[in-house]
Amino acid sequence: MKHKGRFEARANEMRRKCAGILFGPPGSGKTTVVRALTSHRFMDVIETGNLLEQEVRLGTDLGRQIDSYKSAGNLVPTSIVKDVVLGALERVRGESVLFDGFPRHSEQVEVFCQLLQVHQLELCVVLILTLDVETAIQRLAGRRLCPGCGALYNLHTKPPRSAGQCDGCGRELIQRKDDRPEIVRHRFDTYQLETVPVIEFFKREFPGICLDESAAAPMHETGNCARERLEHFMRQRRK
Ligand code: AMP
């Protein structure tokens, strides 16, 4: 991957908005970190996996295409992901934005690089959550999602008050098709194969902005720790 020159050129230009990347295998709590960040209004976040899932739930032609990849635990083609990410980027109003789950493989690093350029963003931080596969499978087997308001539950650690129903809006909770154990294992393998080399690239080229965070603690703890570290790091950089 030969993108470093372009990132550096960006860093030298004045008054860029700040971009961050959040990496983490399935079940590492990326969504929990994101919710902790957005509840503190610290950064705008582009949640790639959840945006794709929303498209599936809308039942559009695009959603059906996405579902055919996603429900099998495969990566969605970059052309589709790019459109979804670009649409979300148009809606960003704040001074900093975190990309959750993008770029996910080497082809997307090139697209990411172009997005930074076009949208006048400087790469400021890369946060990497780490977790083992068995913990991920156990966690995701219990995950439930409200299709109405997007609230997240876990049957073991954060069950809804009334079985199967969202506490907030009363909708019936669902399990994502790709949270089934055999699919989680496949997603994990894909992460090792496709995403870990991307992380290694950023660690090699930008060691000063890469933060590792273990996600083995309960998710809300990981979420708060990661948010605090991220906020601290960004404040230091802005001084
Ligand atoms: P996540 O919630 O981040 O684990 O993503 C769930 C699923 O969404 C993945 O297994 C992929 O099918 C799809 N997905 C999320 N982000 C991307 C991406 N950057 N490129 C391709 N597919 C993605």
Side-chain angles (χ1 to χ4, degrees):
M1 285 176 241
K2 301 186 183 83
H3 309 291
K4 193 181 181 197
R6 290 212 225 165
F7 284 115
E8 278 177 344
R10 317 227 33 69
N12 292 334
E13 294 172 35
M14 298 287 286
R15 297 191 61 75
R16 298 274 173 202
K17 283 189 182 185
C18 207
I21 309 174
L22 175 60
F23 288 112
S28 58
K30 297 194 295 297
T31 304
T32 308
V33 172
V34 162
R35 304 253 158 116
L37 285 171
T38 46
S39 69
H40 281 236
R41 299 181 191 281
F42 184 68
M43 287 179 105
D44 285 295
V45 184
I46 295 182
E47 296 181 71
T48 316
N50 288 340
L51 287 170
L52 293 168
E53 177 70 17
Q54 267 171 31
E55 214 46 69
V56 172
R57 288 207 303 274
L58 286 174
T60 57
D61 280 348
L62 183 65
R64 275 187 286 279
Q65 271 186 62
I66 292 171
D67 194 33
S68 66
Y69 297 97
K70 206 172 164 299
S71 56
N74 293 325
L75 292 178
V76 175
T78 298
S79 56
I80 296 178
V81 176
K82 183 182 172 186
D83 287 349
V84 169
V85 170
L86 268 176
L89 202 46
E90 299 294 340
R91 297 189 288 276
V92 166
R93 292 287 169 268
E95 283 307 302
S96 48
V97 55
L98 187 72
F99 291 84
D100 160 13
F102 181 82
R104 198 112 166 185
H105 53 82
S106 56
E107 184 192 48
Q108 292 183 358
V109 176
E110 177 67 27
V111 176
F112 179 71
C113 181
Q114 288 163 4
L115 289 188
L116 291 189
Q117 201 153 21
V118 172
H119 288 266
Q120 310 251 309
L121 293 161
E122 177 194 344
L123 184 64
C124 300
V125 65
V126 178
L127 179 63
I128 304 140
L129 303 179
T130 56
L131 190 70
D132 64 283
V133 66
E134 298 308 328
T135 310
I137 288 175
Q138 201 185 7
R139 273 186 187 169
L140 293 183
R143 179 160 77 168
R144 295 293 180 273
L145 171 75
C146 173
C149 64
L152 280 178
Y153 298 88
N154 191 291
L155 301 184
H156 313 298
T157 54
K158 192 192 164 209
R161 281 195 295 270
S162 175
Q165 270 193 339
C166 179
D167 293 348
C169 66
R171 289 275 293 269
E172 194 176 331
L173 301 179
I174 57 166
Q175 181 179 32
R176 274 170 47 171
K177 289 183 203 161
D178 57 346
D179 279 349
R180 294 196 304 263
E182 67 281 13
I183 305 286
V184 173
R185 207 174 280 281
H186 177 55
R187 287 165 62 198
F188 214 92
D189 290 345
T190 305
Y191 182 82
Q192 295 295 335
L193 200 71
E194 306 272 10
T195 309
V196 168
V198 174
I199 295 171
E200 282 164 358
F201 162 77
F202 282 105
K203 282 189 165 176
R204 205 170 45 244
E205 303 295 346
F206 304 93
I209 62 167
C210 291
L211 310 175
D212 276 306
E213 179 78 38
S214 165
M219 284 219 204
H220 65 279
E221 280 178 33
T222 303
N224 288 334
C225 281
R227 176 183 56 75
E228 279 167 18
R229 268 187 87 190
L230 206 55
E231 289 183 4
H232 180 74
F233 182 82
M234 302 272 283
R235 269 194 218 101
Q236 296 296 96
R237 276 186 63 89
R238 281 178 192 152
K239 275 182 188 161

